[in-house]
Amino acid sequence: MSAAGLLGSDVPLAEAYDLALVDLDGVAYRGHLPIEHASDSLVAAREQGLRLLFVTNNASREPEDVAGQLTELDIPTSADEVMTAAQACAALLRTRLEPGARVLVVGGKGLVTAVKAAGFHVVSSADDHPVAVAQGFAPDLAWADLAEAAYAVTAGAWHVASNRDLSLPTARGYAPGNGALVGAVVAATGIEPASAGKPEPTMYHLAVERVGAQRPLVIGDRLDTDLQGARAGGFPGLHVLTGVSSARDDVLAEPVLRPHFIGADLRSVLEAHPEPVRGADSWWQCSGRAARVVDGRLELDRQGPVGIDVIRAACAAAWDAADAGSPVEADSVPELTV
């Protein structure tokens, strides 16, 4: 396989890595609801020596609040085991601004706390002449808040977004995320912001530095944030199929979006991961299952229902073809459910 291919592990991932950088929505929980196998798997992985640090693009909540929710869902967590996009946003501000600089915060209390903790003076109006605008998601943001951000950015303030996720998973479905609200300010100003959240690897680097990990593993459900951030930061990434991105998305993924491992859910942290290998007649094989690409069309073996090893083989075949200049035709890739 190419450098952008799947990896293999002869031992469970919980043994191969010393830190898991775990996304929240779509991985550890969905909205305020638990995800099946998430609690048992993470607790078991921790008991086997894998440290957990939860990394979220949500900048509206305090780490203590996130830790409390996880604990209520039977995933015991302390505040120092949570890294938010608000903290990453504040860290990005520090790269250009002096302590005491005025920053207009458009977002929730988590972002306000992080910006203050970084040594900046938080203001609430463009009339206060801020040198930067820190924008993060909060469910009660209104037009007036976005307008203040636009006024400040137009006047020359540096626009820094905590993240640019277009959608936000909730118990009722997908709602507009911070990226959609940032887009409103961009539409008004014509100025693209800097972004601290995933897919930028800033949070991953901060998290690894916090605990001094040597072998970190990223775990996420979204290719365009979690796994792209893993590739950008040089970290191996596990895609669990419990959230936004599907197995079909994996098969069709561009190199910068591809995971290094794929699992149905968080039980895959406790499992070894066979690496697909090329066989005869262009078949890619993984634990007895196989897939290949012929004339741009994806073919799966007919040995039974689709399982995770078929998905891994399909990714290997499709990625190999794409990297050779002959991408698989999207209409030949079915929905692949485990």
Side-chain angles (χ1 to χ4, degrees), residues 19-288:
L19 172 67
L21 303 172
V22 187
D23 183 52
L24 292 177
D25 285 310
V27 178
Y29 54 66
R30 185 177 294 106
H32 292 284
L33 301 176
I35 288 179
E36 189 175 12
H37 307 301
S39 171
D40 291 346
S41 299
L42 290 175
V43 169
R46 184 183 271 150
E47 290 174 348
Q48 293 179 22
L50 181 66
R51 298 186 67 173
L52 305 180
L53 205 157
F54 296 91
V55 182
T56 175
N57 263 1
N58 189 328
S60 65
R61 302 171 66 196
E62 305 275 10
E64 292 80 3
D65 296 335
V66 174
Q69 180 181 353
L70 287 165
T71 301
E72 289 175 0
L73 294 173
D74 296 323
I75 307 171
T77 305
S78 61
D80 61 2
E81 293 177 308
V82 177
M83 172 74 69
T84 72
Q87 294 168 308
C89 185
L92 183 56
L93 289 171
R94 285 200 301 266
T95 64
R96 281 179 49 175
L97 305 182
E98 295 294 328
R102 295 185 178 189
V103 177
L104 172 62
V105 174
V106 178
K109 63 179 183 178
L111 186 56
V112 172
T113 297
V115 172
K116 286 183 176 179
F120 301 113
H121 179 62
V122 172
V123 300
S124 58
S125 170
D127 293 336
D128 294 320
H129 307 294
V131 296
V133 173
Q135 183 174 356
F137 177 81
D140 56 351
L141 285 180
W143 177 90
D145 301 301
L146 301 180
E148 289 300 322
Y151 299 148
V153 171
T154 301
W158 180 32
H159 190 189
V160 179
S162 64
N163 69 289
R164 299 196 68 171
D165 290 5
L166 292 175
S167 62
L168 179 70
T170 73
R172 297 175 59 193
Y174 293 100
N178 193 53
L181 303 180
V182 169
V185 177
V186 172
T189 64
I191 298 173
E192 290 290 335
S195 180
K198 299 173 284 185
E200 296 299 322
T202 304
M203 286 195 294
Y204 293 153
H205 287 299
L206 289 172
V208 171
E209 291 172 5
R210 176 185 289 185
V211 302
Q214 300 297 315
R215 304 183 311 280
L217 172 71
V218 171
I219 305 176
D221 70 302
R222 296 182 68 131
L223 299 186
D224 60 349
T225 54
D226 307 318
L227 282 309
Q228 185 175 354
R231 287 280 179 187
F235 304 114
L238 165 65
H239 179 211
V240 289
L241 303 175
T242 52
V244 174
S245 298
S246 67
R248 184 175 186 272
D249 294 328
D250 283 332
V251 173
L252 296 171
E254 299 176 4
V256 295
L257 303 178
R258 295 173 185 167
H260 300 81
F261 303 101
I262 303 172
D265 52 53
L266 279 174
R267 289 177 295 180
S268 59
V269 178
L270 307 174
E271 300 168 350
H273 286 245
E275 183 176 2
V277 295
R278 187 195 296 272
D281 298 324
S282 300
W283 287 101
W284 280 86
Q285 300 174 342
C286 186
S287 292

